[in-house]
Amino acid sequence: MCGRFILTSPLDAIRAVFAVEATANIPARYNIAPKQPVLVVRHDEKGIPELVAVEWGFVPEWIKEPAKEPVINARIETVAAKPYFRASIKRKRCLVPMNGWYEWKIEGGRKQPYLIAPADGSLMAFAGVWSTWHGPQGEHWLETMAILTAPATGPLSTIHHRRPMVVAHADHEAWLTTHDPLPRRFLEDFPFVGERAFDVRPVSTRVGNVRFDSPECLDPPEHERQASLF
């Protein structure tokens, strides 16, 4: 985790939940995948929340060339120690707005996708880190992000052994307010949203193909099997 997620809330909801100014039209997304532009909320230079688009697949600012395979997740157990993320977890934390994410589980010899979404239907946010990478000669730049994950130890462990870290609305500012050095036990003690706040349901296998990005991705598997009969 996390390899696909959805963001279907309207712009008004995004503005209200994250206290950001945004006027551009934001279409509903049902199958957001790595290497694609994603919306994140971060502090601008004045410490005010802003909504921006970055690429999903973290590239640290100091690396010579981006990895061929995008680094889409950062493990909470090692994010503060690994040079790859160490600067960003202290100075460049962000929120990734979402309405749920997908996980896959082997059932009957096939991979069945599941949607894991807030039980109350609310708009929430993953905890993330971001970075700005410049080319070797400074000729171009790229802003990227990764989502923090941790071991799943509760209800979600039946679907996948890891889960993304989700930040409650009341803790948005605490996550965005960065520190250098990072306070002792900041990550261990941060009140991330618990696993019981989410519902799990099987959905269409369409989500396995990044070309499908429509409400049909959320259809139950029964709809898919019925359609194949005609």
Side-chain angles (χ1 to χ4, degrees):
M1 195 312 132
C2 165
R4 300 283 177 84
F5 68 95
I6 68 174
L7 177 59
T8 57
S9 290
L11 179 59
D12 285 348
I14 295 173
R15 282 196 293 239
V17 170
F18 298 100
V20 292
E21 294 294 332
T23 57
N25 181 43
I26 300 174
R29 297 291 312 280
Y30 296 88
N31 198 4
I32 301 172
K35 293 188 176 182
Q36 293 181 351
V38 298
L39 294 175
V40 302
V41 176
R42 65 188 184 190
H43 276 169
D44 65 13
E45 293 179 353
K46 297 180 179 180
I48 299 172
E50 64 175 356
L51 183 70
V52 298
V54 304
E55 186 173 306
W56 187 11
F58 190 87
V59 180
E61 57 188 23
W62 48 263
I63 204 165
K64 290 184 178 180
E65 291 291 338
K68 292 183 179 180
E69 291 298 321
V71 179
I72 62 173
N73 296 153
R75 291 175 174 256
I76 198 167
E77 307 97 304
T78 58
V79 67
K82 281 194 171 183
Y84 211 80
F85 301 109
R86 192 164 54 203
S88 288
I89 194 62
K90 291 187 291 186
R91 298 190 291 270
K92 293 184 175 181
R93 296 196 293 273
C94 64
L95 298 164
V96 186
M98 62 86 184
N99 295 97
W101 71 94
Y102 299 110
E103 297 288 4
W104 279 258
K105 182 180 180 182
I106 300 296
E107 294 180 346
R110 65 194 292 268
K111 295 176 71 174
Q112 173 59 54
Y114 284 81
L115 175 69
I116 302 171
D120 60 2
S122 64
L123 170 63
M124 288 191 175
F126 298 128
V129 290
W130 66 278
S131 180
T132 302
W133 175 80
H134 296 273
Q137 306 302 321
E139 68 277 14
H140 59 275
W141 58 273
L142 177 68
E143 289 192 322
T144 62
M145 73 88 183
I147 295 168
L148 266 67
T149 69
T153 58
L156 300 185
S157 64
T158 62
I159 303 298
H160 197 272
H161 67 284
R162 296 192 69 82
R163 66 182 180 97
M165 307 312 295
V166 177
V167 180
H169 183 269
D171 299 312
H172 285 180
E173 189 65 19
W175 181 255
L176 293 178
T177 302
T178 55
H179 313 81
D180 190 0
L182 199 67
R184 183 174 179 271
R185 293 194 59 81
F186 174 78
L187 295 173
E188 293 89 340
D189 295 338
F190 197 88
F192 294 108
V193 177
E195 295 183 35
R196 296 188 182 280
F198 302 95
D199 284 339
V200 180
R201 66 179 177 89
V203 294
S204 170
T205 58
R206 290 184 183 92
V207 301
N209 189 327
V210 296
R211 293 179 299 173
F212 290 103
D213 188 2
S214 67
E216 286 74 26
C217 288
L218 305 183
D219 282 349
E222 291 76 13
H223 288 193
E224 198 170 66
R225 288 194 288 269
Q226 290 171 3
S228 68
L229 298 177
F230 298 95

